[in-house]
Amino acid sequence: MRTKVGVLIIGAKGAVATTLMAAQAAQRVGLDLNFMLPSDAEPDFAGLPLVGMDDIVYGGWDVVADSYVDSCAIHNVVPPHILDKIKEQMDAIPSYPAILAEHDPAIDGLLAKENAPARMKDVDYSTTVFSKRPLNELIKSLTYDIEDFREQTGARRIIGVNLSSTERPSPIADCHNTLQSFEAAIATDDPNVTTGMIYAYAALKNGCHFVNFTPSTATDIAALEEFANKQGVTVSGKDGKTGQTLYKTVLAPMLRYRGLKLTGWYSTNILGNRDGQILNDPTHVTTKITSKSSVLSSIMGYADFDHQVHIHYYRPRGDSKEAWDNVDFKGWFDVPMQMKIDWLGDDSILAAPLVFDLIRWTDFFAEKGEKGPLAQLAVYFKSPIATDECDFFKQLHMLHQHVSQRYL
């Protein structure tokens, strides 16, 4: 029997994570459903020994008290008739209480009683989420969880995946530049050490690989890239590219290759899930907008155009994410033209396959002895680490070239 790959998810009871787990559970109980992955669609990758869904064991951390299957029901992505069939599989997944390095009112709002499911109205668990503890104690707590998960599952390799809610902006400070300064900052409880960085540090310290699918700052600081290389593990990120930014990185190269001058790109997003609720906070949304705004000037090679990005929480949308775009551009004689786009996609259905692909690629490259930042996975991210390339087609070529030159 093949030894499993362990995956510990930060935000394990969120919509993307529970959709990912539900897909595996549905496959295990024999439901005949489509779980196509991007890597499966590439003929060049067909012969690679990439892990399958049943090669994974999941676990993770979350601030909410709901069970996995109840969380899945709340997100309303997986159809109820399927949930009934996978409840036992879902609720057998290990779960650990999340840690927070700092108090965050937006998280309090996420857990407020008025936002809780009916069965939780009489339980006030929001006050227990944050308790001020030294950062070293938080790392010890996460280490205990990782060791417990490793013992429970016997996983041959563990990959940490950050699917948590977007954190507030974290400007790069001196303590982020070297591992020595970062560890000194942990020892003194420096506020520049954020929750995402603590999870990433604890994962690397315990020999786990790390994928940051969020726009929050984590392994994309020099100190943790240094630590990853030192520990012989891989890191990748950041901010999964699933919807509006995905088609921006496809359409912007088209405009450039046709010699059309971009004059403006106006983008609006509305979403109603927990991610949208967190992004309704003006400090948290800044992190996301910064990530979404960075791609166009890199692709076009100039920045003298009006690029606006707006994100709005609209509760009725649920996990559906709607994006509206107006693109203004010019051709010969400066004749103005426009393109209008309306995209309505299910956030978790778009994201979960990418997360699974990142798990299988991380496992593959780790098995081959790679360590440090995996720049070749840029095609999956809005703000890829270790590369400035944002053009979707060039990013995809990077992955193909990396694999073909080394492993085919």
Side-chain angles (χ1 to χ4, degrees), residues 174-365:
D174 289 343
C175 69
H176 299 147
N177 293 330
T178 68
L179 180 58
Q180 182 179 6
S181 62
F182 186 76
E183 291 181 329
I186 290 174
T188 58
D189 297 323
D190 190 319
N192 288 304
V193 180
T194 65
T195 299
M197 294 176 198
I198 287 295
Y199 272 109
Y201 179 85
L204 304 184
K205 184 179 177 67
N206 287 279
C208 305
H209 305 267
F210 198 83
V211 177
N212 182 18
F213 203 72
T214 79
S216 307
T217 303
T219 49
D220 52 312
I221 59 173
L224 292 182
E225 290 186 10
E226 178 188 344
F227 197 28
N229 277 300
K230 179 182 177 182
Q231 295 293 94
V233 295
T234 68
V235 293
S236 62
K238 66 178 184 178
D239 200 4
K241 184 162 61 177
T242 60
Q244 187 176 68
T245 307
L246 171 64
Y247 61 72
K248 277 186 178 180
T249 62
V250 170
L251 294 174
M254 177 196 73
L255 295 174
R256 189 183 78 240
Y257 297 152
R258 287 292 185 260
L260 298 168
K261 177 68 169 67
L262 181 66
T263 57
W265 198 311
Y266 184 95
S267 303
T268 297
N269 299 258
I270 56 173
L271 68 165
N273 55 13
R274 283 176 177 168
D275 191 36
Q277 189 178 339
I278 287 291
L279 293 177
N280 202 36
D281 179 278
T283 54
H284 286 258
V285 77
T286 301
T287 306
K288 188 72 171 180
I289 288 176
T290 299
S291 178
K292 290 174 71 68
S293 301
S294 62
V295 300
L296 286 182
S297 57
S298 171
I299 294 172
M300 300 306 298
Y302 51 86
D304 60 336
F305 53 85
D306 187 1
H307 186 200
Q308 296 190 37
V309 180
H310 304 273
I311 301 173
H312 304 285
Y313 176 56
Y314 181 56
R315 191 169 182 174
R317 272 292 173 272
D319 200 63
S320 295
K321 181 167 63 174
E322 187 159 4
W324 304 325
D325 291 79
N326 180 83
V327 186
D328 288 281
F329 54 97
K330 291 180 178 180
W332 279 12
F333 300 106
D334 286 337
V335 172
M337 292 170 273
Q338 290 186 351
M339 177 166 43
K340 313 284 188 182
I341 306 161
D342 187 359
W343 168 286
L344 181 60
D346 192 291
D347 200 29
S348 299
I349 297 298
L350 292 166
L354 302 191
V355 176
F356 189 83
D357 245 12
L358 286 164
I359 292 167
R360 67 195 326 211
W361 280 124
T362 298
D363 176 67
F364 176 80
F365 293 129

Side-chain angles (χ1 to χ4, degrees), residues 1-257:
M1 181 178 177
R2 186 172 182 177
T3 308
K4 305 291 185 179
V5 175
V7 175
L8 277 169
I9 298 175
I10 308 156
K13 294 175 182 176
V16 176
T18 53
T19 300
L20 185 67
M21 295 169 180
Q24 182 196 66
Q27 187 179 77
R28 284 182 173 173
V29 299
L31 298 180
D32 186 17
L33 297 165
N34 172 31
F35 296 122
M36 188 74 170
L37 298 169
S39 54
D40 291 334
E42 296 291 327
D44 291 352
F45 303 148
L48 297 176
L50 301 176
V51 297
M53 278 194 180
D54 207 41
D55 298 322
I56 306 295
V57 283
Y58 289 108
W61 299 273
D62 210 298
V63 295
V64 302
D66 304 346
S67 70
Y68 283 109
V69 77
D70 285 344
S71 293
C72 204
I74 291 165
H75 300 311
N76 197 31
V77 177
V78 180
H81 73 279
I82 292 178
L83 275 184
D84 291 342
K85 294 179 174 67
I86 62 175
K87 176 176 171 52
E88 186 176 342
Q89 294 267 349
M90 292 282 288
D91 286 338
I93 297 169
S95 176
Y96 304 98
I99 61 99
L100 289 174
E102 60 178 356
H103 183 64
D104 191 333
I107 298 295
D108 287 348
L110 191 70
L111 300 176
K113 284 190 175 185
E114 60 268 23
N115 295 318
R119 68 192 170 286
M120 298 297 294
K121 294 295 185 185
D122 59 342
V123 179
D124 186 8
Y125 57 89
S126 62
T127 57
T128 67
V129 171
F130 176 78
S131 58
K132 184 63 178 175
R133 289 191 288 164
L135 297 180
N136 269 319
E137 282 193 18
L138 297 181
I139 293 166
K140 287 179 182 177
S141 175
L142 295 175
T143 296
Y144 173 83
D145 297 338
I146 293 167
E147 289 175 348
D148 179 74
F149 179 73
R150 185 177 275 126
E151 185 177 339
Q152 278 195 58
T153 63
R156 62 179 170 84
R157 176 175 291 119
I158 296 179
I159 302 168
V161 180
N162 189 3
L163 296 179
S164 63
S165 298
T166 301
E167 295 182 26
R168 289 177 281 192
S170 177
I172 298 300
D174 289 343
C175 69
H176 299 147
N177 293 330
T178 68
L179 180 58
Q180 182 179 6
S181 62
F182 186 76
E183 291 181 329
I186 290 174
T188 58
D189 297 323
D190 190 319
N192 288 304
V193 180
T194 65
T195 299
M197 294 176 198
I198 287 295
Y199 272 109
Y201 179 85
L204 304 184
K205 184 179 177 67
N206 287 279
C208 305
H209 305 267
F210 198 83
V211 177
N212 182 18
F213 203 72
T214 79
S216 307
T217 303
T219 49
D220 52 312
I221 59 173
L224 292 182
E225 290 186 10
E226 178 188 344
F227 197 28
N229 277 300
K230 179 182 177 182
Q231 295 293 94
V233 295
T234 68
V235 293
S236 62
K238 66 178 184 178
D239 200 4
K241 184 162 61 177
T242 60
Q244 187 176 68
T245 307
L246 171 64
Y247 61 72
K248 277 186 178 180
T249 62
V250 170
L251 294 174
M254 177 196 73
L255 295 174
R256 189 183 78 240
Y257 297 152

